[in-house]
Amino acid sequence: MNITYKLDIIPQAEEVITLFSKAGLKRPTEPERITLMLKNADVLVTAWQEEKLVGICRTITDWAWCAYLSDLAVFTDLKNSGIGKEMISITREKIGPQCMLILLSVPTAFDYYPKVGFNKEDRAFSIERKQ
């Protein structure tokens, strides 16, 4: 399996919508909203199998204290291949050692994140979006 990782390349919204769907992630399906999500990311790591987008890791950061990993998606048939772990590693290298990497996990990924270096936290709070 030959996977190429790219930094800050913005894929087409339709490719990302397909990826989110095939990765089993509930995300917006409006191309305009996806385009804004990608455009406003501070760190965008993508994984490609030839010309096909097979993974994405989208992060927002202040570059000094914290970084929020807002999306990590890999095609379901490529999970357990190390793609997600590699995209996290590239992200961590890009944000530097001074930033804490945080995320909110979907329930189906609770077992995954400790395997790739995340600590489970019981001190997070959120206000849900209305749309």
Side-chain angles (χ1 to χ4, degrees):
M1 172 176 51
N2 188 21
I3 302 296
T4 303
Y5 299 93
K6 299 180 182 179
L7 266 169
D8 303 322
I9 300 294
I10 299 178
Q12 295 296 312
E14 292 76 16
E15 292 175 294
V16 177
I17 292 167
T18 298
L19 173 59
F20 285 156
S21 174
K22 298 216 179 212
L25 291 181
K26 185 180 178 194
R27 292 294 187 270
T29 56
E30 308 91 35
E32 300 81 20
R33 192 168 183 185
I34 293 291
T35 298
L36 284 173
M37 290 166 57
L38 299 171
K39 178 182 160 204
N40 292 313
D42 295 305
V43 180
L44 190 61
V45 180
T46 51
W48 302 83
Q49 190 172 39
E50 296 180 16
E51 300 298 316
K52 180 180 176 183
L53 178 69
V54 296
I56 194 164
C57 184
R58 185 175 70 91
T59 304
I60 300 163
T61 185
D62 59 20
W63 301 103
W65 183 250
C66 64
Y68 173 64
L69 195 162
S70 51
D71 292 309
L72 179 66
V74 176
F75 266 46
T76 301
D77 59 342
L78 293 174
K79 287 185 178 176
N80 299 315
S81 64
I83 294 171
K85 185 176 183 176
E86 182 63 19
M87 289 189 299
I88 291 168
S89 177
I90 293 167
T91 298
R92 291 186 69 203
E93 183 176 313
K94 179 85 173 174
I95 64 173
Q98 73 281 1
C99 282
M100 174 182 9
L101 188 57
I102 56 177
L103 61 85
L104 294 174
S105 176
V106 295
T108 55
F110 280 2
D111 293 336
Y112 172 73
Y113 289 109
K115 293 177 185 174
V116 293
F118 283 85
N119 299 315
K120 186 174 183 318
E121 295 287 341
D122 293 325
R123 55 187 177 165
F125 297 89
S126 68
I127 297 174
E128 290 294 320
R129 70 190 67 76
K130 294 186 187 225
Q131 292 185 330

